[in-house]
């Protein structure tokens, strides 16, 4: 059986729906069944995305992308510095 993939926005929507169902007195198992996910998946999503709004999630994704880009820049600069130091040693 193929794995279902949900976007982070869909996950947050599902978490909100489970919260509504839980407030109506349903159990977590019943709420998860209605959404078509396992209870384990629900708890994993809640741990990762719990209490987050869609706007916060988008901001988090943007910051993670920027952080990755900055790490690549630092790695490139460290490599350039190492090459220059090696070149300076061989010229001495």
């Amino acid at each position: 059986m193929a794995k279902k993939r949900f976007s982070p926005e869909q996950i947050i929507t599902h978490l909100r729906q489970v919260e509504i169902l839980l407030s109506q007195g349903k159990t977590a198992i019943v709420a998860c069944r209605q959404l078509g996910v396992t209870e384990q998946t629900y708890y994993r999503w809640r741990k990762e995305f719990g209490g987050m709004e869609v706007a916060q999630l988008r901001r988090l994704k943007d910051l993670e992308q920027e952080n990755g880009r900055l790490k690549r820049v630092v790695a490139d600069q460290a490599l350039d510095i190492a090459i220059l130091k090696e070149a300076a040693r061989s010229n001495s």
Side-chain angles (χ1 to χ4, degrees):
M1 187 163 149
K3 221 178 183 185
K4 290 184 183 178
R5 297 283 181 169
F6 294 99
S7 71
E9 289 85 5
Q10 290 173 323
I11 291 171
I12 290 175
T13 303
H14 284 320
L15 288 174
R16 298 290 172 252
Q17 290 172 347
V18 170
E19 287 176 9
I20 291 169
L21 292 171
L22 290 175
S23 69
Q24 294 173 351
K26 298 191 180 187
T27 64
I29 296 170
V30 172
C32 291
R33 279 192 195 137
Q34 285 185 344
L35 293 176
V37 296
T38 64
E39 191 176 7
Q40 180 182 6
T41 300
Y42 163 69
Y43 286 115
R44 186 171 17 94
W45 285 352
R46 194 175 78 174
K47 180 180 174 185
E48 186 174 350
F49 298 105
M52 214 181 263
E53 298 291 328
V54 175
Q56 291 173 324
L57 177 67
R58 288 187 184 129
R59 175 81 173 130
L60 176 64
K61 289 176 82 174
D62 290 342
L63 289 173
E64 286 175 346
Q65 287 178 347
E66 183 179 359
N67 191 29
R69 184 183 59 80
L70 291 172
K71 283 182 179 183
R72 283 190 297 277
V73 167
V74 168
D76 289 343
Q77 286 180 342
L79 183 61
D80 290 344
I81 289 170
I83 290 171
L84 290 173
K85 283 183 180 179
E86 186 64 35
R89 276 192 216 133
S90 45
N91 288 340
S92 299

